[in-house]
């Protein structure tokens, strides 16, 4: 049995990196001719990063609550999710631990289509994601509904591997990858910000890789 997320070795190491400012280059320029954000290096593999617990939810038992400041709160089953409009997106991954991975094809439901389905109220300003491993992360409404963001069930045309957040994870490619919640269980629209797991442990509240928003 892994340690609780609170005192796992990785959590302690990453909290320490936040204190030390590990991987910060101090560069905030965005050269037009490169895809790679400052302080990042390219990898060809796809590393696994999480709190050390891999929840295994069968598709027939999978549920996604969409709640909070919305006109039509709902709980989607797998059937509901796969019956919603399906989209393919192509994007790069930028992890705060300094690796980036180009050209990932994701299939699923865009956050814009999901948002359209539940009709957030006019005062909804933020979104809090909660996952089946207890992980949480927060986004502004605008970042959550960015045009490239998708709730992905497939990667490279295959079902999303369990270790990468299957059956369904969020992908918000314009922010560091910790904002992309794996094993998604609940999406809560809110009228104020609720900092998530890493955001209360020294990581930046927004996490824009282009301006190196690694730590708070
Ligand atoms: N549910 C959940 N989602 C999570 C995490 C987690 O621990 N639990 N870790 C985040 C972090 S820190 C990163 S870098 C990415 C890693 O995704 P990957 O393992 O598919 O590369 O998932 C993010 N989403
Ligand atoms: Mo991460």
């Amino acid at each position: 049995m892994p340690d609780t997320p609170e005192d796992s070795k990785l959590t302690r190491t990453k909290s320490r990196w936040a204190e030390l400012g590990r991987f910060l280059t101090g560069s905030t320029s965005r050269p037009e001719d490169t895809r790679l954000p400052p302080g990042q290096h390219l990898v060809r593999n796809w590393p696994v990063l999480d709190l050390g617990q891999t929840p295994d939810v069968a598709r027939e038992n999978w549920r996604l609550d969409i709640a909070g400041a919305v006109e039509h709160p709902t709980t989607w089953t797998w059937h509901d999710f796969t019956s919603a409009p399906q989209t393919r997106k192509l994007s790069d991954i930028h992890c705060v631990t300094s690796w980036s991975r180009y050209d990932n094809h994701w299939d699923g439901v865009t956050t814009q289509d999901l948002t359209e389905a539940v009709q957030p109220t006019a005062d909804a300003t933020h979104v809090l994601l909660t996952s089946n491993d207890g992980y949480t992360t927060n986004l502004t409404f605008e970042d959550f509904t960015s045009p490239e963001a998708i709730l992905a069930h497939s990667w490279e045309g295959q079902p999303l591997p369990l270790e990468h957040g299957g059956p369904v994870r969020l992908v918000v490619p314009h922010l560091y990858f910790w904002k992309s919640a794996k094993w998604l269980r609940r999406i809560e629209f809110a009228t104020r910000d609720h900092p998530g797991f890493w955001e209360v442990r020294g990581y930046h509240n927004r996490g824009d890789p282009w301006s190196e928003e690694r730590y708070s």
Side-chain angles (χ1 to χ4, degrees):
M1 188 62 197
D3 297 348
T4 65
E6 287 302 326
D7 44 50
S8 81
K9 186 160 179 251
L10 180 69
T11 300
R12 278 185 277 117
T13 302
K14 289 177 77 176
S15 298
R16 181 143 177 78
W17 288 353
E19 281 162 30
L20 297 174
R22 186 103 194 261
F23 305 124
L24 285 176
T25 65
S27 156
T28 54
S29 65
R30 182 173 187 172
E32 298 306 324
D33 61 338
T34 179
R35 281 166 80 172
L36 198 62
Q40 297 294 110
H41 68 275
L42 261 189
V43 299
R44 303 188 67 110
N45 61 325
W46 186 7
V48 172
L49 278 100
D50 52 50
L51 305 177
Q53 331 226 345
T54 307
D56 188 354
V57 178
R59 282 162 180 71
E60 60 268 27
N61 297 327
W62 180 86
R63 296 290 183 276
L64 178 65
D65 296 333
I66 311 157
V70 295
E71 300 288 355
H72 307 296
T74 185
T75 298
W76 276 3
T77 63
W78 186 252
H79 177 79
D80 297 330
F81 181 67
T82 53
S83 301
Q86 300 291 308
T87 302
R88 169 163 284 200
K89 292 287 184 187
L90 172 62
S91 61
D92 299 342
I93 296 172
H94 305 299
C95 175
V96 72
T97 61
S98 85
W99 58 270
S100 292
R101 188 182 193 288
Y102 288 165
D103 292 327
N104 300 275
H105 293 90
W106 309 101
D107 295 293
V109 178
T110 66
T111 56
Q112 291 192 351
D113 284 336
L114 173 134
T115 299
E116 178 72 23
V118 295
Q119 293 290 312
T121 55
D123 57 353
T125 53
H126 291 81
V127 180
L128 180 68
L129 294 311
T130 304
S131 300
N132 277 312
D133 60 345
Y135 186 78
T136 56
T137 192
N138 57 314
L139 292 163
T140 64
F141 183 91
E142 188 188 9
D143 283 328
F144 178 75
T145 56
S146 85
E148 297 311 310
I150 186 166
L151 301 149
H153 58 65
S154 293
W155 174 79
E156 302 306 314
Q158 300 295 322
L160 185 64
L162 187 60
E163 68 270 26
H164 288 297
V168 175
R169 78 174 300 158
L170 179 63
V171 177
V172 183
H174 72 289
L175 298 177
Y176 283 123
F177 210 33
W178 89 78
K179 294 290 185 177
S180 294
K182 305 186 344 181
W183 309 299
L184 199 56
R185 178 65 182 83
R186 183 179 171 87
I187 298 171
E188 175 141 6
F189 290 81
T191 56
R192 66 173 182 88
D193 198 10
H194 299 267
F197 183 88
W198 287 118
E199 292 82 7
V200 300
R201 286 172 176 76
Y203 284 77
H204 197 278
N205 200 50
R206 175 151 191 258
D208 172 11
W210 301 100
S211 38
E212 279 206 283
E213 291 176 345
R214 297 179 191 276
Y215 311 116
S216 55

